[in-house]
Amino acid sequence: MSSFEWNKIIASVLTALIIAMVAGILSNMLVRPKLPEKPVFVVAGAASTAPASTEAAATPKLEPIGPLLANADPKRGQQLTTICQACHTFDKGGPNKIGPNLWGITIEGMAEVPNYQFSAAMEAHKGEKWTVEELNEWLDNPQHFMPGTKMTFAGFPKAQNRADVIAYLQTLK
């Protein structure tokens, strides 16, 4: 093959790359995607990227958890907490992970798990006792209940699931 043929091949490849690059630049200029206001799906453990707004920060009113606790199943609550075990332990004297050990959390004060560095938002409530209603709101959406918390869990949307988890946590004494 002559050098002239090689020059034509190289020029064709370079031309194709330049056209692809220009097309990418033009497409980004012409099409600007509109990002959703809130995440469609939040992965447990992922940091929230949604912009904070006063409307989003308002805690929605949840149905009372008391009636659901009457029929709550602690065994089912234990099964539901398997997703929590990526960050928490539930054993007496268990180690802290990314999140604190949750043994006795329903009888301890907030931010009182030994050897765990809580967020400033949680430290502001140090010594306050968890109520069932507060646990319900926390398990629904920790970021809405306590803006600024380190916990990025999306929450349990179903009230009965929250009741089952609370019933399980109440057995850890």
Side-chain angles (χ1 to χ4, degrees):
M1 220 183 237
S2 70
S3 63
F4 183 69
E5 294 295 322
W6 279 111
N7 285 343
K8 288 194 302 187
I9 292 171
I10 292 171
S12 299
V13 170
L14 288 175
T15 303
L17 291 173
I18 290 171
I19 289 172
M21 185 177 71
V22 169
I25 292 170
L26 286 175
S27 67
N28 284 336
M29 293 168 89
L30 294 173
V31 178
R32 297 179 196 258
K34 181 181 176 196
L35 298 176
E37 292 179 18
K38 62 179 185 172
V40 176
F41 179 78
V42 179
V43 178
S48 176
T49 58
S53 69
T54 56
E55 186 177 309
T59 305
K61 287 292 181 189
L62 299 174
E63 63 182 280
I65 198 72
L68 295 172
L69 277 174
N71 297 325
D73 181 6
K75 291 284 186 195
R76 187 164 181 281
Q78 183 178 11
Q79 292 170 349
L80 289 167
T81 60
T82 55
I83 61 173
C84 306
Q85 292 173 6
C87 300
H88 297 281
T89 56
F90 294 87
D91 305 319
K92 184 173 185 176
N96 295 321
K97 290 181 165 182
I98 295 170
N101 177 11
L102 297 179
W103 178 270
I105 199 72
T106 58
I107 57 174
E108 289 180 351
M110 291 183 187
E112 290 189 353
V113 174
N115 303 319
Y116 185 76
Q117 182 68 37
F118 287 94
S119 65
M122 183 63 86
E123 285 286 338
H125 296 278
K126 188 170 185 136
E128 295 177 22
K129 298 290 185 188
W130 283 106
T131 66
V132 174
E133 291 301 328
E134 287 174 332
L135 281 171
N136 181 38
E137 290 181 44
W138 176 267
L139 291 171
D140 178 58
N141 190 327
Q143 291 292 327
H144 282 171
F145 176 71
M146 190 176 294
T149 183
K150 294 191 294 186
M151 188 164 163
T152 57
F153 177 61
F156 292 105
K158 293 183 180 176
Q160 188 59 55
N161 288 350
R162 292 191 303 271
D164 292 340
V165 170
I166 292 169
Y168 169 62
L169 291 174
Q170 289 176 330
T171 66
L172 304 177
K173 298 179 185 180

